[in-house]
Amino acid sequence: MPHLFSKLRMRDVDFANRIGVSPMCQYSSVDGYANDWHFAHLGARAVGGAGLVFTEAAAVTPEGRISPQDLGVWSERHFEPLERIVRFIEGQGARAGIQLAHAGRKGSTYRPGAGNGAVPEAAGGWRPVAPSAVPFSDSYPMPDEMTVDQIHAVHGAFAAAAERAFAAGFRVIEIHAAHGYLNHEFLSPFSNRRVDAYGGSFDNRTRFVRECVAAVRRALPGRCPLFVRISATDWVEGGWDIDQSVELARQLLALGVDVIDCSSGGNVEKAEIPVGPGYQTPFAERIRREANVATAALGMITAPAQADQIIRNDQADIVLLARQMLRDPYWPLHAAQELGQVAPWPRQYLRAAPSGTPERAPAVARSDRAAQPVGT
């Protein structure tokens, strides 16, 4: 029976366990570049024993950033500092993942603690784009409705970023289609009021995401797993919901997606979300069962026993932790102790490990077939 510390295999990539570090914006970049903060932040979570470490959302175009301080990947130069980070993560036996994103109408906004709403152009802001000229809220910028040529250009930017990311050593690529950002904006009728082939019906509203996924899948080698993060529901009647998410997941599986990363909300300013421990896990369970695709569960997962039961009960194939990993970068090592599982420690830290703890081996070769197959 799989458990939190059982190995996992997707395509040609092996994971030492089922624990992942969820993408978390750090708002610490200048002109989109990663720096020492990103190295220390992501490297610490790899040392801490996670099997998969995601970067924060990385914008595929300059106007695809949420804030001027967001990570960017719109040029080859942006990957130079990321390559060092990837080498360190992989050297700790973890897999390096990158989340590719476009903020859409939620772009050009202040980072937390620096202000609220739109950043003016004089202060480094820009005019965002979106499916329709509908702002997220009164304090957010008014976006320009995208032309079809702009839509195709964004798809190309996602594909180019994915190709560069794999060349830089990232072995998991994720498309961000959640939290009210551009891909999600096309899915939800609250933000998509188009009357062309990208708006209206379910098939039309999902077209942007499907074309984005197809472009990225073509840009990647067949051995590279592809994740898509979705918001399974808007939490508002008449919006995007779990039934539509299940159907979208079926379609994305057919396009070569390996994991649906199941979050929720973010596209409606005043949605009432019943936040609580594991509140999004039922979405991962239902999509996994009905769409027959591997899923990642996230959202208020904090306790080792809670995370372990999600895997043991076949609710998801991976658990992604966010705030808990900020509180404790070594959560996986502590969880292994609590659950009575073996988790190797870095050689440099063995003197502090429980007696008999094995030394962490170098990264598992991707040709190793010992791990359990999952997905395509």
Side-chain angles (χ1 to χ4, degrees), residues 274-284 297-302 306 310 315:
V275 176
Y279 73 106
Q280 295 176 150
T281 300
F283 300 136
L298 66 148
M300 299 288 284
I301 299 170
T302 58
Q306 174 194 16
I310 289 170
Q315 293 177 283

Side-chain angles (χ1 to χ4, degrees), residues 115-376:
N116 295 306
V119 176
E121 292 188 25
W126 56 90
R127 184 72 177 254
V129 296
S132 304
V134 179
F136 175 69
S137 73
D138 292 341
S139 64
Y140 274 61
M142 173 63 74
D144 291 329
E145 180 172 310
M146 296 176 74
T147 66
V148 173
D149 286 344
Q150 286 176 314
I151 287 172
H152 294 162
V154 168
H155 291 155
F158 269 95
E163 186 174 17
R164 291 168 179 154
F166 188 84
F170 287 100
R171 288 300 175 260
V172 174
I173 309 298
E174 177 167 274
I175 296 171
H176 199 348
H179 302 164
Y181 301 125
L182 186 63
N183 275 281
H184 183 186
E185 290 165 18
F186 272 92
L187 296 175
S188 174
F190 291 134
S191 47
N192 184 349
R193 301 180 186 175
R194 300 176 72 98
V195 295
D196 63 1
Y198 291 93
S201 67
F202 172 85
D203 284 345
N204 284 355
R205 283 183 287 110
T206 59
R207 189 182 309 277
F208 182 92
V209 174
R210 288 185 283 110
E211 290 180 351
C212 185
V213 166
V216 168
R217 184 73 269 176
R218 286 194 300 269
L220 291 173
R223 63 185 183 275
C224 179
L226 177 59
F227 289 35
V228 176
R229 170 167 286 190
I230 66 169
S231 280
T233 178
D234 284 334
W235 294 108
V236 177
E237 186 176 353
W240 182 258
D241 58 27
I242 182 59
D243 292 334
Q244 295 174 87
S245 292
V246 170
E247 180 55 34
L248 176 63
R250 292 190 184 106
Q251 296 182 8
L252 297 185
L253 175 64
L255 291 172
V257 169
D258 300 282
V259 175
I260 303 296
D261 179 357
C262 301
S263 190
S264 68
N267 198 46
V268 179
E269 183 186 17
K270 297 181 180 179
E272 294 184 5
I273 302 177
V275 176
Y279 73 106
Q280 295 176 150
T281 300
F283 300 136
E285 181 178 19
R286 181 174 168 188
I287 289 172
R288 187 180 190 273
R289 181 179 66 250
E290 296 184 17
N292 197 29
V293 62
T295 59
L298 66 148
M300 299 288 284
I301 299 170
T302 58
Q306 174 194 16
D308 191 52
Q309 283 303 305
I310 289 170
I311 302 301
R312 289 182 185 271
N313 293 340
D314 292 330
Q315 293 177 283
D317 300 274
I318 305 171
V319 293
L320 299 179
L321 283 75
R323 288 176 176 84
Q324 193 64 18
M325 285 289 190
L326 297 182
R327 300 181 190 105
D328 181 7
Y330 305 102
W331 187 92
L333 298 181
H334 298 149
Q337 282 183 259
E338 184 172 322
L339 296 171
Q341 298 291 338
V342 175
W345 283 46
R347 172 181 51 81
Q348 297 89 338
Y349 288 3
L350 274 176
R351 67 173 68 93
S355 177
T357 297
E359 180 179 334
R360 185 175 296 164
V364 179
R366 284 185 289 275
S367 61
D368 177 14
R369 296 285 172 178
Q372 179 178 344
V374 170
T376 56

